Amino acid sequence: MKREHYITQFSIRPFEITKGLCLTVNLKATPLEILHKRTEDIMQDIDLYEVMDNTGSYVNRNEMELAYRGFENYTAPKFRRLVSLLESEDADSEFNTMIKTNEWADKEATLLFHLILTLIRSPQVKNLVFDDEKIPEFLKPIFYRLLTTSQVMAVKLAKEHLRGNELEVALHFLKTSSESGLKTLAEHLMNNFQLRIYKTKGVKKLFLSDRPILIQEFKDTDYLLPISPNVCVGTTKLQTKGKKIFICNQIVYLSDDEVKNINQKIVKKAEGMLIIQKDSDIESVKEWQENKCSK
């Protein structure tokens, strides 16, 4: 068995309370409990991306992890530099400079790509496929591979995993469904959305959960993702006039009430784990959990 991260370690690290450690809440525990957890041990699942054949042997072991690792190696250093910049006291001036010099386009693409990969790697995406009774069991791993990587990798898995009529059906499906979900999602977000940067201005800090992206929870913001306790990014529809693109050229500052609202929605959507910043945060979590259960 292999533990595989569905939220990258580099994107969890800004939420650490000390190097290598996060303050977490086990939302499935009764009563709720705070645990100090190593970053490398959280936001992961056993054999999340793995496929077994009828004998219980792995097929193309670690293939998806290796593919995603390539993306991570490209994104991680840019992500770390950007979070550090946006966390700094010079964030406003640096952000304005990036807008004026067109440096922001590359930084925005990095954050959008990170958001896309976080979406597609979610265990909920896998559950949607494997819980769908309309998809034949033998085809589910192939469909999931197409959804989360590429047609080439899905075809490779089909040829390694299936035989006879099942292989023919899978290859026919892949021939008529050539677009990967990852590519479709990337093109949709990259072509139709831009990012708005939000930063806290009070004492309250943003949480991170095992379902880190809030989807259509706020007006005019389809996706919202915390990238540090003080910074989150949100997608807004691309604003254009002719060939001119109107860029969100200011950081939006969040009041404590707005941060509280975001965190409440994060807790509501969380599956089982939450990263907080101080012990007292658990009191709000308990209150929101009670309200959630009473409805």
Side-chain angles (χ1 to χ4, degrees), residues 66-80:
L66 291 172
Y68 286 141
R69 190 175 300 166
F71 293 140
E72 290 175 26
N73 291 340
Y74 171 78
T75 306
K78 293 186 175 185
F79 180 89
R80 285 192 289 264

Side-chain angles (χ1 to χ4, degrees), residues 91-105 107-108 194-195 197 245-251:
D92 289 288
S93 60
E94 292 287 346
F95 184 68
N96 285 329
T97 298
M98 287 191 292
I99 296 291
K100 291 175 182 177
T101 59
N102 292 323
E103 291 178 64
W104 176 242
K107 307 292 191 298
E108 183 178 43
Q194 60 182 322
L195 288 181
I197 305 298
I245 299 175
F246 294 93
I247 300 172
C248 303
N249 59 4
Q250 287 185 323
I251 294 173

Side-chain angles (χ1 to χ4, degrees), residues 51-59 160-161:
V51 176
M52 287 186 177
D53 61 21
N54 293 332
T55 68
S57 299
Y58 289 103
V59 181
E160 292 286 338
H161 183 46

